[in-house]
Amino acid sequence: MALSAAAWRCCRSQFQFLKHYRSSVSFRPLLAQPRSRTQHANLPHYLRRFLHRSSDSSMASSHAAGQNGRKVEEEETHASATKDLITVPTMLTGARVVAVPALIFVFFSNQEWASVASSGIFVGAALTDWLDGYLARKMKLDSAFGAFLDPVADKLMVATALILLCTRPLAAAWFVDIPWLIPLPAALMISREIIISAVREWAALQGLNKVVAVDKLGKLKTATQMVSLTFLLAFGDARTGMEAYLSGFGVGLLYLSTGLSLVSLSGYMRKLWRSMKLRQKTG
């Protein structure tokens, strides 16, 4: 009986010591820094095993919590990216991309209404170009995907219209003997778009994307370009009368927009060059 009482007192004293030791401040660094276990080599072996097991379990719990947090963050990022893809402005921009094959099909349909329908498709694409930007600003639906897709859709539509016009010379009598009348500005404008796209991509990598952002001259070029291509698609087949004069008006606007596009390209290159020189001086 005396031995049992002594054993009980020994166990109780060890339990109180363990309780006091775990609640002390000196035990907290032990869980955070496993290397400090060597400082407690004088403890009984069962206490050392218990303390090591507690430290390992706490570290495993913190590791699991970190993994769960990263998983939740990845799911939220994926949901946000999916939400950015499915918005009204991005759907309008995607509709312009889908309209490209429709424009080709209608242009070569050889129907009486083909000219009016092709110009109508182009006008609708131009209106959606304005509308998706307006809705993105008004509804605060700006997204990286929309900013990427919008200029791509514009360039696809404009390049397609220029190539289509090159395949069919203007029917007006005063344009018959000038076969290069449409191919020349078309080649210059498509080349300009390829160059400016490459320059903007390179500027973005250098952190100079604001230098080559679209300015007022670029917007004026786009407006004259859209109007000229609309007139040429609608009245390019006209031989005489007012419609033939309207096709000539479209040719004039096309050359005007070509000049504006080249001037704006030179302006972008000058601004980029000045920014690069300034970075070299300050860097």
Side-chain angles (χ1 to χ4, degrees):
M1 186 69 179
L3 181 61
S4 299
W8 169 253
R9 284 195 298 273
C10 180
C11 291
R12 185 174 60 180
S13 63
Q14 293 291 346
F15 178 75
Q16 290 177 352
F17 169 77
L18 178 61
K19 182 178 180 182
H20 173 73
Y21 188 79
R22 290 196 65 185
S23 62
S24 62
V25 178
S26 61
F27 178 71
R28 295 173 186 171
L30 182 63
L31 297 179
Q33 301 177 359
R35 290 177 295 180
S36 62
R37 297 170 182 171
T38 56
Q39 300 175 0
H40 306 278
N42 57 342
L43 293 175
H45 66 90
Y46 57 86
L47 288 180
R48 290 201 301 270
R49 282 204 307 269
F50 179 79
L51 293 174
H52 294 173
R53 191 179 299 114
S54 300
S55 176
D56 294 339
S57 62
S58 64
M59 287 188 293
S61 299
S62 62
H63 180 68
Q67 287 183 338
N68 292 333
R70 286 193 296 271
K71 185 177 180 180
V72 171
E73 184 178 356
E74 290 176 358
E75 291 177 354
E76 291 178 352
T77 303
H78 178 71
S80 177
T82 304
K83 184 179 179 181
D84 290 341
L85 293 176
I86 308 174
T87 60
V88 175
T90 55
M91 287 190 293
L92 289 174
T93 305
R96 290 206 303 278
V97 177
V98 176
V100 170
L103 177 62
I104 298 173
F105 176 78
V106 171
F107 186 84
F108 290 110
S109 62
N110 294 324
Q111 301 294 328
E112 294 181 358
W113 44 264
S115 298
V116 177
S118 59
S119 62
I121 292 174
F122 190 82
V123 170
L127 291 177
T128 58
D129 183 24
W130 169 82
L131 184 61
D132 61 7
Y134 173 78
L135 292 177
R137 294 187 299 269
K138 192 72 172 179
M139 303 171 64
K140 297 181 180 179
L141 294 175
D142 297 328
S143 64
F145 179 71
F148 158 76
L149 186 61
D150 184 70
V152 172
D154 295 342
K155 289 174 175 57
L156 284 176
M157 181 59 69
V158 171
T160 301
L162 287 171
I163 293 172
L164 291 177
L165 290 172
C166 291
T167 63
R168 186 179 297 174
L170 298 178
W174 49 83
F175 295 142
V176 173
D177 296 330
I178 313 176
W180 49 263
L181 189 64
I182 301 299
L184 176 61
L188 291 175
M189 296 181 76
I190 293 175
S191 300
R192 183 262 186 194
E193 296 300 331
I194 294 174
I195 293 171
I196 196 63
S197 297
V199 168
R200 281 174 177 160
E201 184 177 356
W202 181 84
L205 294 176
Q206 301 298 320
L208 299 173
N209 49 341
K210 292 184 178 180
V211 177
V212 289
V214 179
D215 55 8
K216 293 182 179 180
L217 186 60
K219 294 179 179 179
L220 179 61
K221 180 269 301 182
T222 301
T224 55
Q225 187 181 65
M226 295 297 180
V227 175
S228 65
L229 292 178
T230 301
F231 275 90
L232 290 173
L233 288 171
F235 307 113
D237 294 336
R239 297 179 180 274
T240 57
M242 181 58 65
E243 294 180 349
Y245 286 103
L246 290 177
S247 67
F249 177 71
V251 171
L253 285 180
L254 182 64
Y255 274 84
L256 175 60
S257 63
T258 303
L260 292 175
S261 65
L262 296 178
V263 172
S264 64
L265 176 62
S266 63
Y268 291 142
M269 299 301 292
R270 285 197 303 269
K271 289 191 292 185
L272 184 61
W273 178 257
R274 286 197 297 266
S275 299
M276 291 173 59
K277 297 292 288 185
L278 181 61
R279 172 178 288 187
Q280 290 179 354
K281 291 180 181 180
T282 57

